[in-house]
mmCIF file of all heavy atoms in Angstrom:
data_model
loop_
_atom_site.group_PDB
_atom_site.id
_atom_site.type_symbol
_atom_site.label_atom_id
_atom_site.label_comp_id
_atom_site.label_asym_id
_atom_site.label_seq_id
_atom_site.Cartn_x
_atom_site.Cartn_y
_atom_site.Cartn_z
ATOM 1 N N LYS N 239 0.825 -1.213 -0.008
ATOM 2 C CA LYS N 239 -0.014 0.047 0.004
ATOM 3 C C LYS N 239 0.856 1.207 -0.021
ATOM 4 O O LYS N 239 1.711 1.460 0.850
ATOM 5 C CB LYS N 239 -0.875 0.019 1.258
ATOM 6 C CG LYS N 239 -1.769 1.267 1.332
ATOM 7 C CD LYS N 239 -2.625 1.298 2.593
ATOM 8 C CE LYS N 239 -3.700 0.282 2.540
ATOM 9 N NZ LYS N 239 -4.645 0.380 3.725
ATOM 10 N N LEU N 240 0.623 2.190 -0.939
ATOM 11 C CA LEU N 240 1.263 3.425 -0.953
ATOM 12 C C LEU N 240 0.516 4.282 0.126
ATOM 13 O O LEU N 240 -0.728 4.406 0.084
ATOM 14 C CB LEU N 240 1.112 4.133 -2.335
ATOM 15 C CG LEU N 240 1.563 3.318 -3.563
ATOM 16 C CD1 LEU N 240 1.397 4.181 -4.821
ATOM 17 C CD2 LEU N 240 3.052 2.880 -3.400
ATOM 18 N N ASN N 241 1.313 4.878 1.042
ATOM 19 C CA ASN N 241 0.700 5.445 2.187
ATOM 20 C C ASN N 241 1.262 6.898 2.382
ATOM 21 O O ASN N 241 1.828 7.213 3.382
ATOM 22 C CB ASN N 241 1.051 4.604 3.439
ATOM 23 C CG ASN N 241 0.313 5.126 4.699
ATOM 24 O OD1 ASN N 241 -0.868 5.529 4.608
ATOM 25 N ND2 ASN N 241 0.986 5.139 5.817
ATOM 26 N N ARG N 242 0.972 7.670 1.379
ATOM 27 C CA ARG N 242 1.346 9.132 1.438
ATOM 28 C C ARG N 242 0.117 9.954 1.071
ATOM 29 O O ARG N 242 0.148 10.729 0.092
ATOM 30 C CB ARG N 242 2.437 9.322 0.436
ATOM 31 C CG ARG N 242 3.381 10.487 0.786
ATOM 32 C CD ARG N 242 4.490 10.614 -0.228
ATOM 33 N NE ARG N 242 5.264 11.791 0.048
ATOM 34 C CZ ARG N 242 5.703 12.626 -0.898
ATOM 35 N NH1 ARG N 242 5.456 12.357 -2.134
ATOM 36 N NH2 ARG N 242 6.400 13.691 -0.533
ATOM 37 N N PRO N 243 -1.027 9.725 1.723
ATOM 38 C CA PRO N 243 -2.294 10.312 1.268
ATOM 39 C C PRO N 243 -2.302 11.862 1.287
ATOM 40 O O PRO N 243 -2.972 12.506 0.529
ATOM 41 C CB PRO N 243 -3.315 9.751 2.274
ATOM 42 C CG PRO N 243 -2.505 9.412 3.439
ATOM 43 C CD PRO N 243 -1.198 8.935 2.948
ATOM 44 N N GLU N 244 -1.504 12.415 2.191
ATOM 45 C CA GLU N 244 -1.477 13.898 2.281
ATOM 46 C C GLU N 244 -0.896 14.507 1.011
ATOM 47 O O GLU N 244 -1.094 15.695 0.734
ATOM 48 C CB GLU N 244 -0.724 14.347 3.527
ATOM 49 C CG GLU N 244 0.780 14.169 3.485
ATOM 50 C CD GLU N 244 1.279 12.735 3.629
ATOM 51 O OE1 GLU N 244 0.404 11.900 3.899
ATOM 52 O OE2 GLU N 244 2.517 12.517 3.532
ATOM 53 N N ARG N 245 -0.093 13.705 0.259
ATOM 54 C CA ARG N 245 0.480 14.147 -1.007
ATOM 55 C C ARG N 245 -0.145 13.404 -2.173
ATOM 56 O O ARG N 245 0.405 13.376 -3.265
ATOM 57 C CB ARG N 245 2.013 13.939 -0.958
ATOM 58 C CG ARG N 245 2.735 14.696 0.061
ATOM 59 C CD ARG N 245 2.775 16.175 -0.188
ATOM 60 N NE ARG N 245 3.593 16.514 -1.354
ATOM 61 C CZ ARG N 245 3.792 17.778 -1.781
ATOM 62 N NH1 ARG N 245 3.177 18.768 -1.183
ATOM 63 N NH2 ARG N 245 4.519 17.984 -2.809
ATOM 64 N N HIS N 246 -1.320 12.848 -1.968
ATOM 65 C CA HIS N 246 -2.035 12.023 -2.969
ATOM 66 C C HIS N 246 -1.169 10.912 -3.533
ATOM 67 O O HIS N 246 -1.232 10.582 -4.726
ATOM 68 C CB HIS N 246 -2.558 12.979 -4.080
ATOM 69 C CG HIS N 246 -3.584 13.930 -3.628
ATOM 70 N ND1 HIS N 246 -4.934 13.578 -3.644
ATOM 71 C CD2 HIS N 246 -3.523 15.162 -3.063
ATOM 72 C CE1 HIS N 246 -5.666 14.570 -3.106
ATOM 73 N NE2 HIS N 246 -4.819 15.549 -2.775
ATOM 74 N N ASN N 247 -0.284 10.381 -2.664
ATOM 75 C CA ASN N 247 0.623 9.249 -3.017
ATOM 76 C C ASN N 247 1.551 9.643 -4.217
ATOM 77 O O ASN N 247 1.837 8.746 -5.031
ATOM 78 C CB ASN N 247 -0.135 7.998 -3.282
ATOM 79 C CG ASN N 247 -0.943 7.550 -2.097
ATOM 80 O OD1 ASN N 247 -0.363 7.399 -1.037
ATOM 81 N ND2 ASN N 247 -2.302 7.395 -2.187
ATOM 82 N N ALA N 248 1.888 10.914 -4.294
ATOM 83 C CA ALA N 248 2.842 11.340 -5.370
ATOM 84 C C ALA N 248 4.183 10.698 -5.157
ATOM 85 O O ALA N 248 4.632 10.476 -4.018
ATOM 86 C CB ALA N 248 2.942 12.861 -5.323
ATOM 87 N N LEU N 249 4.775 10.333 -6.243
ATOM 88 C CA LEU N 249 6.064 9.612 -6.258
ATOM 89 C C LEU N 249 7.251 10.556 -6.014
ATOM 90 O O LEU N 249 7.425 11.533 -6.742
ATOM 91 C CB LEU N 249 6.237 8.863 -7.569
ATOM 92 C CG LEU N 249 5.132 7.842 -7.916
ATOM 93 C CD1 LEU N 249 5.251 7.462 -9.385
ATOM 94 C CD2 LEU N 249 5.282 6.610 -7.003
ATOM 95 N N ASP N 250 8.042 10.144 -4.982
ATOM 96 C CA ASP N 250 9.324 10.851 -4.790
ATOM 97 C C ASP N 250 10.411 9.806 -4.554
ATOM 98 O O ASP N 250 10.111 8.606 -4.609
ATOM 99 C CB ASP N 250 9.295 11.936 -3.702
ATOM 100 C CG ASP N 250 9.051 11.291 -2.342
ATOM 101 O OD1 ASP N 250 8.943 10.023 -2.180
ATOM 102 O OD2 ASP N 250 9.022 12.052 -1.354
ATOM 103 N N GLU N 251 11.636 10.225 -4.254
ATOM 104 C CA GLU N 251 12.759 9.268 -4.109
ATOM 105 C C GLU N 251 12.395 8.266 -3.053
ATOM 106 O O GLU N 251 12.685 7.080 -3.254
ATOM 107 C CB GLU N 251 14.018 10.018 -3.691
ATOM 108 C CG GLU N 251 14.405 11.212 -4.540
ATOM 109 C CD GLU N 251 14.006 12.535 -3.897
ATOM 110 O OE1 GLU N 251 12.854 12.648 -3.449
ATOM 111 O OE2 GLU N 251 14.836 13.460 -3.888
ATOM 112 N N GLN N 252 11.869 8.716 -1.889
ATOM 113 C CA GLN N 252 11.624 7.790 -0.776
ATOM 114 C C GLN N 252 10.545 6.821 -1.110
ATOM 115 O O GLN N 252 10.659 5.592 -0.888
ATOM 116 C CB GLN N 252 11.296 8.588 0.523
ATOM 117 C CG GLN N 252 11.188 7.715 1.729
ATOM 118 C CD GLN N 252 12.563 7.228 2.182
ATOM 119 O OE1 GLN N 252 13.534 8.018 2.227
ATOM 120 N NE2 GLN N 252 12.702 5.997 2.470
ATOM 121 N N LEU N 253 9.420 7.239 -1.696
ATOM 122 C CA LEU N 253 8.332 6.370 -2.002
ATOM 123 C C LEU N 253 8.736 5.329 -3.066
ATOM 124 O O LEU N 253 8.444 4.156 -2.965
ATOM 125 C CB LEU N 253 7.129 7.138 -2.435
ATOM 126 C CG LEU N 253 5.852 6.384 -2.712
ATOM 127 C CD1 LEU N 253 5.424 5.558 -1.496
ATOM 128 C CD2 LEU N 253 4.740 7.268 -3.157
ATOM 129 N N ILE N 254 9.508 5.770 -4.024
ATOM 130 C CA ILE N 254 9.969 4.877 -5.122
ATOM 131 C C ILE N 254 10.892 3.843 -4.461
ATOM 132 O O ILE N 254 10.721 2.620 -4.761
ATOM 133 C CB ILE N 254 10.653 5.644 -6.241
ATOM 134 C CG1 ILE N 254 9.594 6.496 -6.990
ATOM 135 C CG2 ILE N 254 11.342 4.672 -7.199
ATOM 136 C CD1 ILE N 254 10.206 7.497 -7.922
ATOM 137 N N HIS N 255 11.828 4.259 -3.742
ATOM 138 C CA HIS N 255 12.808 3.301 -3.101
ATOM 139 C C HIS N 255 12.092 2.303 -2.224
ATOM 140 O O HIS N 255 12.342 1.095 -2.333
ATOM 141 C CB HIS N 255 13.866 4.106 -2.273
ATOM 142 C CG HIS N 255 14.795 3.213 -1.521
ATOM 143 N ND1 HIS N 255 14.498 2.770 -0.256
ATOM 144 C CD2 HIS N 255 15.972 2.711 -1.833
ATOM 145 C CE1 HIS N 255 15.478 2.013 0.167
ATOM 146 N NE2 HIS N 255 16.384 2.014 -0.737
ATOM 147 N N ASP N 256 11.216 2.746 -1.328
ATOM 148 C CA ASP N 256 10.532 1.893 -0.398
ATOM 149 C C ASP N 256 9.543 0.970 -1.126
ATOM 150 O O ASP N 256 9.405 -0.190 -0.663
ATOM 151 C CB ASP N 256 9.896 2.736 0.685
ATOM 152 C CG ASP N 256 10.890 3.405 1.605
ATOM 153 O OD1 ASP N 256 12.110 3.219 1.381
ATOM 154 O OD2 ASP N 256 10.481 4.169 2.516
ATOM 155 N N THR N 257 8.922 1.429 -2.111
ATOM 156 C CA THR N 257 7.977 0.595 -2.885
ATOM 157 C C THR N 257 8.710 -0.515 -3.555
ATOM 158 O O THR N 257 8.315 -1.697 -3.566
ATOM 159 C CB THR N 257 7.153 1.451 -3.874
ATOM 160 O OG1 THR N 257 6.471 2.439 -3.216
ATOM 161 C CG2 THR N 257 6.197 0.581 -4.650
ATOM 162 N N HIS N 258 9.819 -0.179 -4.161
ATOM 163 C CA HIS N 258 10.672 -1.194 -4.839
ATOM 164 C C HIS N 258 11.158 -2.239 -3.832
ATOM 165 O O HIS N 258 11.081 -3.465 -4.134
ATOM 166 C CB HIS N 258 11.833 -0.547 -5.543
ATOM 167 C CG HIS N 258 12.545 -1.387 -6.504
ATOM 168 N ND1 HIS N 258 13.394 -0.898 -7.458
ATOM 169 C CD2 HIS N 258 12.471 -2.734 -6.773
ATOM 170 C CE1 HIS N 258 13.847 -1.865 -8.254
ATOM 171 N NE2 HIS N 258 13.271 -3.049 -7.808
ATOM 172 N N ARG N 259 11.613 -1.790 -2.716
ATOM 173 C CA ARG N 259 12.085 -2.718 -1.686
ATOM 174 C C ARG N 259 11.034 -3.670 -1.190
ATOM 175 O O ARG N 259 11.181 -4.893 -1.086
ATOM 176 C CB ARG N 259 12.699 -1.989 -0.505
ATOM 177 C CG ARG N 259 13.197 -2.837 0.633
ATOM 178 C CD ARG N 259 14.030 -2.002 1.629
ATOM 179 N NE ARG N 259 14.335 -2.782 2.799
ATOM 180 C CZ ARG N 259 13.686 -2.812 3.910
ATOM 181 N NH1 ARG N 259 12.597 -2.052 4.054
ATOM 182 N NH2 ARG N 259 14.048 -3.556 4.961
ATOM 183 N N ALA N 260 9.840 -3.110 -0.924
ATOM 184 C CA ALA N 260 8.669 -3.924 -0.400
ATOM 185 C C ALA N 260 8.248 -4.852 -1.538
ATOM 186 O O ALA N 260 7.894 -6.037 -1.265
ATOM 187 C CB ALA N 260 7.527 -2.981 -0.084
ATOM 188 N N PHE N 261 8.224 -4.396 -2.764
ATOM 189 C CA PHE N 261 7.795 -5.285 -3.867
ATOM 190 C C PHE N 261 8.727 -6.458 -4.051
ATOM 191 O O PHE N 261 8.277 -7.614 -4.269
ATOM 192 C CB PHE N 261 7.677 -4.507 -5.191
ATOM 193 C CG PHE N 261 6.984 -5.214 -6.266
ATOM 194 C CD1 PHE N 261 5.582 -5.134 -6.356
ATOM 195 C CD2 PHE N 261 7.642 -6.084 -7.121
ATOM 196 C CE1 PHE N 261 4.908 -5.910 -7.324
ATOM 197 C CE2 PHE N 261 7.028 -6.803 -8.102
ATOM 198 C CZ PHE N 261 5.576 -6.702 -8.237
ATOM 199 N N ASP N 262 9.984 -6.250 -3.946
ATOM 200 C CA ASP N 262 10.990 -7.343 -4.056
ATOM 201 C C ASP N 262 10.822 -8.311 -2.926
ATOM 202 O O ASP N 262 10.920 -9.489 -3.126
ATOM 203 C CB ASP N 262 12.460 -6.756 -4.015
ATOM 204 C CG ASP N 262 12.859 -6.133 -5.298
ATOM 205 O OD1 ASP N 262 12.141 -6.284 -6.349
ATOM 206 O OD2 ASP N 262 13.886 -5.458 -5.345
ATOM 207 N N LEU N 263 10.466 -7.848 -1.718
ATOM 208 C CA LEU N 263 10.239 -8.749 -0.567
ATOM 209 C C LEU N 263 9.028 -9.633 -0.874
ATOM 210 O O LEU N 263 9.064 -10.893 -0.644
ATOM 211 C CB LEU N 263 10.026 -7.960 0.703
ATOM 212 C CG LEU N 263 11.308 -7.259 1.239
ATOM 213 C CD1 LEU N 263 10.906 -6.417 2.439
ATOM 214 C CD2 LEU N 263 12.321 -8.293 1.734
ATOM 215 N N LEU N 264 7.974 -9.059 -1.418
ATOM 216 C CA LEU N 264 6.743 -9.808 -1.698
ATOM 217 C C LEU N 264 6.959 -10.790 -2.844
ATOM 218 O O LEU N 264 6.524 -11.966 -2.814
ATOM 219 C CB LEU N 264 5.606 -8.909 -2.000
ATOM 220 C CG LEU N 264 5.055 -8.034 -0.878
ATOM 221 C CD1 LEU N 264 4.005 -7.064 -1.348
ATOM 222 C CD2 LEU N 264 4.474 -8.913 0.262
ATOM 223 N N ALA N 265 7.682 -10.319 -3.892
ATOM 224 C CA ALA N 265 7.938 -11.185 -5.040
ATOM 225 C C ALA N 265 8.828 -12.379 -4.682
ATOM 226 O O ALA N 265 8.677 -13.437 -5.217
ATOM 227 C CB ALA N 265 8.619 -10.386 -6.120
ATOM 228 N N GLY N 266 9.681 -12.207 -3.660
ATOM 229 C CA GLY N 266 10.582 -13.275 -3.269
ATOM 230 C C GLY N 266 10.069 -14.153 -2.147
ATOM 231 O O GLY N 266 10.705 -15.057 -1.736
ATOM 232 N N ASN N 267 8.878 -13.803 -1.653
ATOM 233 C CA ASN N 267 8.345 -14.580 -0.519
ATOM 234 C C ASN N 267 7.499 -15.759 -1.095
ATOM 235 O O ASN N 267 6.511 -15.590 -1.773
ATOM 236 C CB ASN N 267 7.323 -13.647 0.273
ATOM 237 C CG ASN N 267 6.825 -14.327 1.483
ATOM 238 O OD1 ASN N 267 6.831 -15.530 1.628
ATOM 239 N ND2 ASN N 267 6.327 -13.524 2.462
ATOM 240 N N PRO N 268 7.982 -16.976 -0.777
ATOM 241 C CA PRO N 268 7.216 -18.160 -1.334
ATOM 242 C C PRO N 268 5.798 -18.318 -0.842
ATOM 243 O O PRO N 268 5.039 -19.047 -1.427
ATOM 244 C CB PRO N 268 8.142 -19.329 -0.854
ATOM 245 C CG PRO N 268 8.875 -18.851 0.315
ATOM 246 C CD PRO N 268 9.098 -17.381 0.054
ATOM 247 N N ALA N 269 5.464 -17.641 0.256
ATOM 248 C CA ALA N 269 4.120 -17.706 0.753
ATOM 249 C C ALA N 269 3.133 -16.818 -0.013
ATOM 250 O O ALA N 269 1.964 -16.915 0.167
ATOM 251 C CB ALA N 269 4.053 -17.316 2.223
ATOM 252 N N VAL N 270 3.695 -15.963 -0.858
ATOM 253 C CA VAL N 270 2.827 -14.993 -1.635
ATOM 254 C C VAL N 270 2.582 -15.569 -2.987
ATOM 255 O O VAL N 270 3.466 -15.859 -3.714
ATOM 256 C CB VAL N 270 3.544 -13.593 -1.723
ATOM 257 C CG1 VAL N 270 2.756 -12.714 -2.627
ATOM 258 C CG2 VAL N 270 3.676 -13.023 -0.334
ATOM 259 N N ARG N 271 1.283 -15.666 -3.337
ATOM 260 C CA ARG N 271 0.917 -16.184 -4.693
ATOM 261 C C ARG N 271 0.459 -15.039 -5.598
ATOM 262 O O ARG N 271 0.580 -15.078 -6.820
ATOM 263 C CB ARG N 271 -0.281 -17.142 -4.523
ATOM 264 C CG ARG N 271 0.105 -18.413 -3.842
ATOM 265 C CD ARG N 271 0.593 -19.483 -4.833
ATOM 266 N NE ARG N 271 -0.281 -19.542 -5.958
ATOM 267 C CZ ARG N 271 -1.423 -20.254 -6.052
ATOM 268 N NH1 ARG N 271 -1.879 -20.883 -5.002
ATOM 269 N NH2 ARG N 271 -2.117 -20.261 -7.174
ATOM 270 N N VAL N 272 -0.170 -13.943 -5.010
ATOM 271 C CA VAL N 272 -0.711 -12.830 -5.718
ATOM 272 C C VAL N 272 -0.252 -11.535 -4.975
ATOM 273 O O VAL N 272 -0.207 -11.518 -3.723
ATOM 274 C CB VAL N 272 -2.203 -12.861 -5.794
ATOM 275 C CG1 VAL N 272 -2.817 -11.635 -6.473
ATOM 276 C CG2 VAL N 272 -2.693 -14.182 -6.477
ATOM 277 N N ILE N 273 0.092 -10.523 -5.716
ATOM 278 C CA ILE N 273 0.420 -9.223 -5.142
ATOM 279 C C ILE N 273 -0.613 -8.192 -5.512
ATOM 280 O O ILE N 273 -0.990 -8.081 -6.703
ATOM 281 C CB ILE N 273 1.829 -8.760 -5.601
ATOM 282 C CG1 ILE N 273 2.914 -9.834 -5.144
ATOM 283 C CG2 ILE N 273 2.159 -7.383 -5.038
ATOM 284 C CD1 ILE N 273 4.294 -9.497 -5.659
ATOM 285 N N VAL N 274 -1.117 -7.455 -4.542
ATOM 286 C CA VAL N 274 -2.073 -6.345 -4.752
ATOM 287 C C VAL N 274 -1.356 -5.078 -4.438
ATOM 288 O O VAL N 274 -0.833 -4.845 -3.428
ATOM 289 C CB VAL N 274 -3.303 -6.518 -3.848
ATOM 290 C CG1 VAL N 274 -4.249 -5.331 -4.041
ATOM 291 C CG2 VAL N 274 -4.035 -7.825 -4.145
ATOM 292 N N LEU N 275 -1.385 -4.156 -5.538
ATOM 293 C CA LEU N 275 -0.828 -2.793 -5.328
ATOM 294 C C LEU N 275 -2.034 -1.864 -5.070
ATOM 295 O O LEU N 275 -2.913 -1.791 -5.892
ATOM 296 C CB LEU N 275 -0.133 -2.400 -6.597
ATOM 297 C CG LEU N 275 0.509 -0.998 -6.625
ATOM 298 C CD1 LEU N 275 1.547 -0.895 -5.531
ATOM 299 C CD2 LEU N 275 1.076 -0.706 -7.991
ATOM 300 N N CYS N 276 -1.989 -1.233 -3.939
ATOM 301 C CA CYS N 276 -3.086 -0.359 -3.572
ATOM 302 C C CYS N 276 -2.583 0.923 -2.928
ATOM 303 O O CYS N 276 -1.370 1.107 -2.749
ATOM 304 C CB CYS N 276 -4.018 -1.075 -2.637
ATOM 305 S SG CYS N 276 -3.315 -1.797 -1.174
ATOM 306 N N SER N 277 -3.502 1.808 -2.525
ATOM 307 C CA SER N 277 -3.087 3.108 -1.943
ATOM 308 C C SER N 277 -4.091 3.510 -0.868
ATOM 309 O O SER N 277 -5.256 3.021 -0.831
ATOM 310 C CB SER N 277 -3.048 4.173 -3.027
ATOM 311 O OG SER N 277 -2.123 3.943 -4.043
ATOM 312 N N ASP N 278 -3.663 4.423 -0.057
ATOM 313 C CA ASP N 278 -4.479 4.968 0.984
ATOM 314 C C ASP N 278 -4.875 6.424 0.586
ATOM 315 O O ASP N 278 -4.070 7.098 -0.085
ATOM 316 C CB ASP N 278 -3.770 5.025 2.330
ATOM 317 C CG ASP N 278 -4.639 5.348 3.495
ATOM 318 O OD1 ASP N 278 -5.880 5.119 3.332
ATOM 319 O OD2 ASP N 278 -4.195 5.782 4.557
ATOM 320 N N GLY N 279 -6.047 6.859 0.966
ATOM 321 C CA GLY N 279 -6.459 8.234 0.670
ATOM 322 C C GLY N 279 -7.327 8.395 -0.531
ATOM 323 O O GLY N 279 -7.686 7.356 -1.182
ATOM 324 N N PRO N 280 -7.644 9.578 -0.972
ATOM 325 C CA PRO N 280 -8.596 9.812 -2.028
ATOM 326 C C PRO N 280 -8.037 9.532 -3.445
ATOM 327 O O PRO N 280 -8.760 9.365 -4.368
ATOM 328 C CB PRO N 280 -8.948 11.320 -1.917
ATOM 329 C CG PRO N 280 -7.699 11.913 -1.221
ATOM 330 C CD PRO N 280 -7.209 10.809 -0.325
ATOM 331 N N SER N 281 -6.691 9.549 -3.566
ATOM 332 C CA SER N 281 -6.060 9.308 -4.871
ATOM 333 C C SER N 281 -5.264 8.055 -4.887
ATOM 334 O O SER N 281 -4.576 7.703 -3.891
ATOM 335 C CB SER N 281 -5.174 10.506 -5.229
ATOM 336 O OG SER N 281 -5.905 11.674 -5.255
ATOM 337 N N PHE N 282 -5.228 7.385 -6.031
ATOM 338 C CA PHE N 282 -4.399 6.198 -6.191
ATOM 339 C C PHE N 282 -2.914 6.667 -6.212
ATOM 340 O O PHE N 282 -2.089 6.202 -5.461
ATOM 341 C CB PHE N 282 -4.756 5.441 -7.437
ATOM 342 C CG PHE N 282 -3.865 4.191 -7.649
ATOM 343 C CD1 PHE N 282 -3.999 3.030 -6.915
ATOM 344 C CD2 PHE N 282 -2.883 4.267 -8.606
ATOM 345 C CE1 PHE N 282 -3.185 1.949 -7.084
ATOM 346 C CE2 PHE N 282 -2.029 3.150 -8.852
ATOM 347 C CZ PHE N 282 -2.199 2.025 -8.083
ATOM 348 N N CYS N 283 -2.595 7.549 -7.165
ATOM 349 C CA CYS N 283 -1.207 8.130 -7.273
ATOM 350 C C CYS N 283 -1.291 9.323 -8.184
ATOM 351 O O CYS N 283 -1.729 9.195 -9.317
ATOM 352 C CB CYS N 283 -0.273 7.036 -7.775
ATOM 353 S SG CYS N 283 1.408 7.679 -8.062
ATOM 354 N N ALA N 284 -0.847 10.452 -7.627
ATOM 355 C CA ALA N 284 -0.916 11.704 -8.350
ATOM 356 C C ALA N 284 0.254 11.872 -9.362
ATOM 357 O O ALA N 284 0.472 12.959 -9.899
ATOM 358 C CB ALA N 284 -1.018 12.880 -7.439
ATOM 359 N N GLY N 285 1.078 10.825 -9.485
ATOM 360 C CA GLY N 285 2.223 10.957 -10.387
ATOM 361 C C GLY N 285 3.410 11.455 -9.629
ATOM 362 O O GLY N 285 3.571 11.152 -8.447
ATOM 363 N N ALA N 286 4.303 12.099 -10.339
ATOM 364 C CA ALA N 286 5.572 12.566 -9.759
ATOM 365 C C ALA N 286 5.306 13.748 -8.787
ATOM 366 O O ALA N 286 4.539 14.680 -9.094
ATOM 367 C CB ALA N 286 6.564 12.918 -10.795
#
């Protein structure tokens, strides 16, 4: 979950870095069969 609702989940260095790290952890977890990408707040992602 992207959790930067006060900025409409806009992408910056920190959000990109942490999202990539979290995604790699889920992709490499044998207990995970499906990955859901979601967001908190009124916007999914306002872009950069």
Side-chain angles (χ1 to χ4, degrees):
K239 179 184 288 186
L240 308 182
N241 186 40
R242 206 178 175 224
E244 74 284 356
R245 300 289 292 180
H246 293 271
N247 298 304
L249 301 166
D250 66 359
E251 310 99 314
Q252 189 69 48
L253 184 57
I254 292 169
H255 174 273
D256 292 358
T257 300
H258 195 164
R259 179 169 173 264
F261 193 87
D262 284 348
L263 289 172
L264 292 174
N267 185 342
V270 172
R271 293 272 313 279
V272 177
I273 298 174
V274 176
L275 179 63
C276 55
S277 298
D278 192 24
S281 300
F282 179 75
C283 177

